[in-house]
Amino acid sequence: MKIIKPTLREIIDIKTVLKPYVDEGIILNRSDDEIATNIRSYQIVYDKKRPIGVGALHIYSPYLGEIRSLAVNKEYQLKGIGKELVRNLLKEAKELGLKEVLVLTYKKEFFEKLGFVEIQKEAVPDKKIWADCIKCKFFPSCNEIALITYL
Ligand SMILES: CC(C)(COP(=O)(O)OP(=O)(O)OC[C@H]1O[C@@H](n2cnc3c(N)ncnc32)[C@H](O)[C@@H]1OP(=O)(O)O)[C@@H](O)C(=O)NCCC(=O)NCCS
């Protein structure tokens, strides 16, 4: 198992890992163009040549980042891969100089185990609401929980 920073050639792998969760409505669908624009935010986990995990660190401001599009292939869950990915994304966040990393999720306990604490959704930046949430089929009444970690 190895974690890499993808190139544009790996957009297909990102989409392969995310597809089942996009279909379930847990993860937001993003176009190839949007993934390409943000390609430098992604990390992919491979088991040999098979993509099995994805996560992205999106930057909002010199202080605030967000973990998004985090997913591990169902067959590979509960083996510590998600934890490893989040730790790697937080390491990158810290190296970049971010102070806080946000996540909007249904997987509260998973993120709490990684040091995140729940915050009020009102603390989520408007930029997120208007760029992302508005595209979601559950907007405006979703049950996602906002959590944050301080680096
Ligand atoms: C959330 C997700 C990424 C976790 O990945 P994973 O590789 O299965 O998680 P890990 O094996 O690294 O688990 C780390 C810890 O969290 C716990 N955990 C994992 N999923 C959990 C869940 N759904 N609820 C509660 N605890 C969970 C594990 O038991 C483990 O605990 P431990 O450290 O005490 O042993 C994965 O379940 C997934 O892809 N879910 C679907 C997409 C999704 O909801 N993404 C989050 C969007 S922000």
Side-chain angles (χ1 to χ4, degrees), residues 45-132:
V45 188
Y46 285 90
D47 178 15
K48 302 196 175 73
K49 290 191 172 170
R50 182 176 182 194
I52 56 163
V54 165
L57 174 73
H58 185 73
I59 298 176
Y60 282 108
S61 76
Y63 303 96
L64 179 67
E66 181 198 11
I67 288 181
R68 62 190 204 184
S69 299
L70 179 78
V72 172
N73 188 309
K74 287 195 168 96
E75 290 166 50
Y76 287 83
Q77 286 182 6
L78 298 176
K79 295 177 191 295
I81 295 168
K83 185 155 70 174
E84 191 64 25
L85 248 177
V86 172
R87 286 199 177 132
N88 238 42
L89 291 166
L90 294 179
K91 181 168 171 272
E92 188 178 15
K94 197 163 185 174
E95 284 165 4
L96 284 165
L98 288 169
K99 304 290 181 222
E100 301 172 356
V101 176
L102 176 84
V103 69
L104 267 170
T105 185
Y106 298 104
K107 304 287 156 59
K108 180 173 181 253
E109 290 85 5
F110 169 76
F111 283 98
E112 282 177 341
K113 284 188 170 173
L114 284 153
F116 285 74
V117 290
E118 188 173 349
I119 52 161
Q120 293 304 307
K121 272 213 202 142
E122 291 66 43
V124 175
D126 287 352
K127 269 195 244 177
K128 163 86 185 167
I129 309 291
W130 296 112
D132 277 347

Side-chain angles (χ1 to χ4, degrees), residues 29-45:
N29 187 34
R30 296 187 192 277
S31 68
D32 285 13
D33 287 2
E34 194 181 354
I35 297 174
T37 302
N38 295 297
I39 194 71
R40 284 169 290 199
S41 72
Y42 286 88
Q43 298 190 11
I44 311 184
V45 188

